[in-house]
Amino acid sequence: MSAPLPAWITYLGRLGQFAKGLVYISIGLLAAEVAWAGHGQARGSRGAMRAIAEQPFGRALLVVLIGGLICYILWRLLEVFFDVEHRGRDAKGIALRARSLVVAFIYGGLTLGAIKTLLGASSRGGGDGAARDWTARAMAQPFGATLVVLIGAAIIAGGLYKIWRAYSGKFEKKLQLGELSARARKWILRICVFGLSARGVVFVIVGAFLFQAGLQSNPQKARGLTGALEALQTQPYGRWLFAIVGLGLAAYGIYSGVRGRYGRWESA
């Protein structure tokens, strides 16, 4: 185990995880609310931002959330360019750092949407529309449809890996829960497994739609988080599946908060 990271880098990571957790808790609870009511539409990250802004003191909370998301983006960029978690320069390390760059880009778009929401501008360009737009741009390139198929397959594999990581307990290496009682530790780990698994399921659904879009050379088949949640509603027992995955995403938000509070902030 290497030495702990400098304090300011650790603070960036912790604040970023708290902000990320709040976004997922909002998405998950909104989905569970729709499932409970039996009507309405799923809302992704942009919808969650609007819902936060509509609450009492919501605009102030949104300002705090934007600050936290900026911290998360900076943390990811430090992973990419300064290898603060010592991923290394082998193939696996480069792949992990490349993933951090993609994540920073995604959360950059989310933060921009939050800023637009704060300023009163429309941020409805995200979600499925954004997924379809970039899929169309990718398909316009040489071998674009093949690239989209490969990306879809990679997202499916990533989702399955997240589910495996949850049930194998590998995520526990990133947590330091020794100060908690055995009972509290057991329940926190159960919530974390539930949350990580639900996020993995959503990744598999998003990847499957993207894979299908590539095979059919039809970017309109691509879906983002909102579309993945809506797809659950159309299945047998879809209302219950939607509720379970929604609560699972909220549980993933709790996991992010736990990671922020009890995370092991040095290289694994």
Side-chain angles (χ1 to χ4, degrees):
M1 182 181 296
S2 64
L5 296 170
W8 69 273
I9 294 180
T10 299
Y11 290 143
L12 281 179
R14 291 188 189 280
L15 289 173
Q17 288 291 340
F18 287 136
K20 179 183 174 184
L22 179 57
V23 172
Y24 271 94
I25 288 171
S26 300
I27 293 170
L29 292 181
L30 287 169
E33 180 184 14
V34 170
W36 179 263
H39 59 83
Q41 292 183 326
R43 288 196 271 183
S45 53
R46 300 289 176 86
M49 295 296 182
R50 290 192 292 271
I52 291 171
E54 292 166 0
Q55 304 308 309
F57 306 105
R59 291 176 66 82
L61 180 57
L62 199 56
V63 169
V64 174
L65 181 59
I66 289 168
L69 288 171
I70 291 172
C71 288
Y72 185 70
I73 294 165
L74 291 174
W75 162 260
R76 286 296 191 176
L77 292 176
L78 286 169
E79 285 185 330
V80 175
F81 296 109
F82 297 98
D83 196 17
V84 294
E85 287 201 299
H86 303 284
R87 302 292 193 184
R89 296 183 178 276
D90 59 5
K92 179 180 178 181
I94 292 173
L96 290 172
R97 292 164 71 179
R99 183 190 66 179
S100 290
L101 183 60
V102 173
V103 171
F105 178 79
I106 291 171
Y107 278 87
L110 174 59
T111 304
L112 181 60
I115 293 172
K116 288 181 178 179
T117 299
L118 182 65
L119 297 177
S122 173
S123 60
R124 297 183 182 274
D128 289 353
R132 288 165 181 158
D133 287 345
W134 79 256
T135 302
R137 287 195 292 270
M139 286 185 179
Q141 307 305 313
F143 305 104
T146 301
L147 177 61
V148 170
V149 167
L150 293 175
I151 293 174
I155 293 174
I156 293 171
L160 294 174
Y161 172 76
K162 291 178 187 299
I163 296 170
W164 173 80
R165 182 169 174 263
Y167 285 96
S168 69
K170 282 182 68 67
F171 71 93
E172 296 179 36
K173 295 179 180 179
K174 291 288 187 179
L175 302 176
Q176 301 181 101
L177 303 177
E179 65 185 76
L180 300 177
S181 68
R183 182 178 178 83
R185 188 162 57 249
K186 179 175 71 174
W187 277 104
I188 284 176
L189 291 176
R190 285 176 175 174
I191 292 171
C192 290
V193 169
F194 180 36
L196 287 164
S197 300
R199 190 166 181 251
V201 168
V202 171
F203 266 64
V204 170
I205 296 172
V206 170
F209 278 115
L210 194 58
F211 188 87
Q212 182 182 23
L215 286 180
Q216 299 181 8
S217 298
N218 182 2
Q220 295 304 311
K221 294 290 185 180
R223 296 194 185 187
L225 174 58
T226 304
L229 292 173
E230 289 175 347
L232 289 171
Q233 291 179 288
T234 65
Q235 305 304 311
Y237 305 102
R239 179 181 175 185
W240 296 106
L241 289 172
F242 186 40
I244 291 170
V245 173
L247 291 175
L249 291 176
Y252 179 78
I254 294 174
Y255 162 75
S256 292
V258 171
R259 176 93 165 88
R261 172 61 179 85
Y262 297 104
R264 191 184 300 277
W265 294 94
E266 63 264 346
S267 65

